[in-house]
Every structure is written in C-alpha cells, then in structure tokens.
Amino acid sequence: MDSKTVVMNPKGGDVAEMSATPKPSVLGIQSDSAFNEAAKRLKGRDLCSIADLTVQEMAAIMELAHAVKEHPEDFRHALDAKQMVLIFEKASLRTRLTFETAINTSGGNAIFIDQTQSVLGERESLPDVARNLERWVNVIVLRTYAHDTVTEIAAVSRVPVINALSDLEHPCQALADFFTLEERFGSCEGLKFTYVGDGNNVCHSLMLTAALLGAHCTIATPKGYEPKLDIIHKAIELCEETGGSLQLMHDPVKAVTGADAVYTDVSISMGQEHEATKRAPIFRPYQVNEDLMAHAAPHAVFMHCLPAHRGEEVTDEVMDGEQSIIFDQAEGRLHAQKSLLLMLPGGAKRIPRNRGANGKKRTTLA
C-alpha cells in the first residue's frame, strides 16, 4: 500500500497531499559486516543534522546505544585519553551532564566552555576557533543559536563536530527519544508517532529520525508554525526508502487518535521569550492533557524533551502519569550520546563473542 504524506503547499495555500510509494527495504543491522561498514563510514564524520545519516548508519548508532546501556563495563576504556570540548551558547542540564558522563565513563575527558554571555564567533572567527580546537581535542560538541555556526565549524574542523542543539535541529534529543521508543516497543518500524505543538528544531529532528526508522509520523501544529519545507521534503525522501510515512495537519485530536506515542515541546524556546504573550492563545488548543491523551492508543506513551512549562503545553496529570516516559528519555540521552562518541571519534565494531543470555550479539569498540 502506498504511504500517504501530507505536506504544506510551498506557495502558502492550504494543506496539500503527496503520495509516495515506499521502496522495499529491510531496516536494522542484518550482519556483522553491515554494522562494521556503517561504523567505518561514521568514523571521523560530523553530526550536524539527522539527515547526515543513512538508514544503516542510524541502525548502527541505535544498536550501539542499546549495547552501551546493557553492558557499560565493555566500554569503560573505549575512549581512553580522548578529549571532548563542549561549547554552549544556551543553558543546559541534560545535554551537558549526559555528554560529560558519557565520555567520563568511557575513559575520556570533557572540557566545558560557557559561551552563554556572548555569541560564538564574535571574539574571533569561527574558522579560527575550529582550527584551534582541532589541535587539542578529538570531538567538538556545540549548543548554539544559529545552525550556520555548527555547519561552519564542521566545514573547517578536522575532528568530528556534533550538533547538541541549534535553532534548526536537535539531533541528539531525537536519537535518545527513538532509542527510548525502541526499548518500549522493540522496534520503531511501523510505530505511530505523533508530535503536537510548534514545528521547531526538536520537531525537525524527530521527523527525520522517524523517517529513517520507518515510523509513521504525524505532526499537528497551529497554522503558521509548520516545520520547514526543506525538512519536510527530506523526511518524505527518507520515508520513500524505509516505508515510513509523514502526515502534517492542524487538528491535534485527529493527529493523536490511535497513536502509540504522543510528543510535545514548549512553544517558546530559549531566545523567543518575547513571543510568549502572542503565542499563548494560539497554542492553547494544542495542550497535551488527559482529554487529548484519551484519543491515543490505550498503550500509548507520552514524551517531552524537557524542560517543560507545566500547565502550558502539557498538564501535570500527563507529565506525572503512568503513560509518561519523560525521564526514560532523559536517561536515553546518556546512552545515545555515548554511542555517538564511540562512533564518530572512536569507531566501533560489532563482535559476536560474549553473547548475552538472550543470544544477542554484543557490540564493543574496535
């Protein structure tokens, strides 16, 4: 059956429909050689966007994330003497602590640079910053406002650059979120995933990750707050490869109906505080509350990237309810980011020795 994709009219008209026939595709890592080939391609690479990854590379990162959670002892010295610098223009709790914990528990070291008082690139040019950092560290992690800051440093740097959040994307968050869904549901292929709220950076990365994993993704936003068209078109392209689907709409009830997972985020991101009064009435119908969750599947989970504005985009009853897996997501940041650190500056190899009790192959550093 054809997958049905709903996209915004590029000319600014009403919602238009596009139909995409998915190509036959077997998702996930099917062999040691497939994992090793994906790991080889990832070594030394940047992660500025989820779109930088192929289907097999995404599967390899996810497999390794599960391995590091299940058997952390196998990776305690995997990044011995590796140095990671974190340069953050925005405040952080989960991103900073999970990246630092990830490298510290793998034998490496984290260096933090607080850039919250000035924009990166003002004191000296971004290329000069990159050329200095590459002489001292093995990986650069950036949390910025402008996405161009990430891509400009990545274009110059000879060591991997990881986007830990920009105004365009939040790839590390999306990796952790779908890692958490894989833990809950076993696989994301065919999963009904719904995002309700602002078509922001988190939404962009969730769309692309869902597409790479073969999920059926529905996005419900107020009019005027849809995801960017280039992200939509890239997600459509990926859905055609994996058999996933993408639907965009403005009706939150229709979007949530039958969903396996319901996700929301703040409508006012850091740096947009001046928009709060204007946006409040627009986003009020998109609040995730018990009435909205009642339209999802009985087994559905609730997700939020945090921090949340309780009582605004989501109620306390949903945040603290039995369906909420928000703190599982927060934990997942550690495992997903450790996988990235092992893959990009390190390189990993799937080794069939030391099988677990369930017979699954163990993944360790090469």
Side-chain angles (χ1 to χ4, degrees):
M1 181 181 293
D2 288 357
S3 64
K4 193 175 185 181
T5 305
V6 181
V7 302
M8 297 302 147
N9 188 330
K11 296 182 180 180
D14 294 333
V15 174
E17 292 189 355
M18 292 181 63
S19 182
T21 303
K23 300 174 183 177
S25 176
V26 179
L27 307 182
I29 296 295
Q30 305 300 318
S31 66
D32 294 345
S33 60
F35 180 94
N36 294 339
E37 182 58 35
K40 182 179 178 181
R41 291 197 306 269
L42 284 166
K43 187 174 182 180
R45 287 253 302 278
D46 305 311
L47 181 65
C48 300
S49 164
I50 289 294
D52 295 338
L53 302 173
T54 67
V55 173
Q56 287 295 297
E57 288 164 358
M58 171 64 78
I61 289 169
M62 287 295 185
E63 180 177 298
L64 183 54
H66 290 293
V68 299
K69 180 177 181 179
E70 293 171 7
H71 304 287
E73 67 279 2
D74 288 350
F75 304 92
R76 284 180 182 152
H77 299 286
L79 296 174
D80 276 355
K82 298 286 187 183
Q83 302 293 317
M84 172 185 69
V85 65
L86 300 150
I87 306 179
F88 284 21
E89 292 180 347
K90 293 187 177 186
S92 172
L93 172 66
R94 282 155 294 278
T95 301
R96 177 180 175 180
L97 290 181
T98 51
F99 263 113
E100 289 187 352
T101 302
I103 197 164
N104 290 344
T105 55
S106 303
N109 183 58
I111 303 165
F112 179 74
I113 298 177
D114 184 351
Q115 200 72 37
T116 57
Q117 300 306 308
S118 62
V119 176
L120 188 61
E122 282 186 349
R123 183 169 176 267
E124 58 184 310
S125 73
L126 293 176
D128 285 355
V129 171
R131 292 187 179 106
N132 276 274
L133 293 176
E134 69 184 10
R135 304 286 180 119
W136 307 322
V137 302
N138 303 100
V139 59
I140 301 168
V141 180
L142 300 173
R143 184 176 172 90
T144 71
Y145 286 93
H147 188 71
D148 288 348
T149 299
V150 179
T151 56
E152 189 172 347
I153 288 181
V156 175
S157 173
R158 292 179 295 180
V159 299
V161 171
I162 297 175
N163 179 3
L165 181 140
S166 70
D167 284 352
L168 181 65
E169 275 202 57
H170 198 351
C172 296
Q173 180 67 55
L175 291 174
D177 294 336
F178 279 88
F179 165 84
T180 305
L181 287 171
E182 284 190 349
E183 283 196 309
R184 176 60 65 104
F185 294 103
S187 170
C188 291
E189 191 169 357
L191 186 82
K192 294 181 179 179
F193 176 86
T194 294
Y195 175 93
V196 177
D198 189 14
N200 60 14
N201 51 358
V202 172
C203 177
H204 290 157
S205 290
L206 290 171
M207 289 165 55
L208 294 170
T209 306
L212 277 169
L213 292 172
H216 299 303
C217 180
T218 301
I219 307 294
T221 66
K223 291 182 179 180
Y225 293 89
E226 298 87 1
K228 290 185 178 296
L229 278 171
D230 56 342
I231 301 291
I232 294 170
H233 293 154
K234 181 61 180 179
I236 292 170
E237 179 185 325
L238 294 171
C239 286
E240 291 174 344
E241 181 179 354
T242 65
S245 65
L246 175 65
Q247 293 190 16
L248 276 75
M249 61 184 64
H250 301 306
D251 184 344
V253 173
K254 182 179 178 181
V256 166
T257 300
D260 299 308
V262 178
Y263 197 118
T264 194
D265 187 16
V266 296
S267 62
I268 303 297
S269 299
M270 284 182 283
Q272 296 180 336
E273 288 79 8
H274 62 285
E275 292 277 309
T277 302
K278 169 186 165 185
R279 291 192 180 192
I282 296 172
F283 280 89
R284 194 169 295 126
Y286 294 82
Q287 183 189 72
V288 179
N289 50 40
E290 289 181 307
D291 289 342
L292 187 62
M293 286 297 296
H295 294 278
H299 59 261
V301 296
F302 169 72
M303 308 180 76
H304 194 300
C305 54
L306 302 179
H309 293 170
R310 288 171 176 261
E312 294 183 14
E313 75 273 6
V314 60
T315 61
D316 286 344
E317 291 77 14
V318 172
M319 284 277 288
D320 301 324
E322 293 183 357
Q323 291 174 289
S324 176
I325 58 170
I326 57 175
F327 298 115
D328 293 334
Q329 293 172 254
E331 180 188 339
R333 295 291 299 275
L334 171 63
H335 311 302
Q337 288 160 193
K338 185 181 285 191
S339 177
L340 285 179
L341 293 175
L342 291 166
M343 284 288 194
L344 302 184
K349 184 176 181 180
R350 193 192 203 200
I351 301 176
R353 61 178 174 78
N354 297 331
R355 290 173 181 266
N358 58 6
K360 291 184 178 179
K361 294 185 177 183
R362 297 279 289 278
T363 307
T364 65
L365 193 72

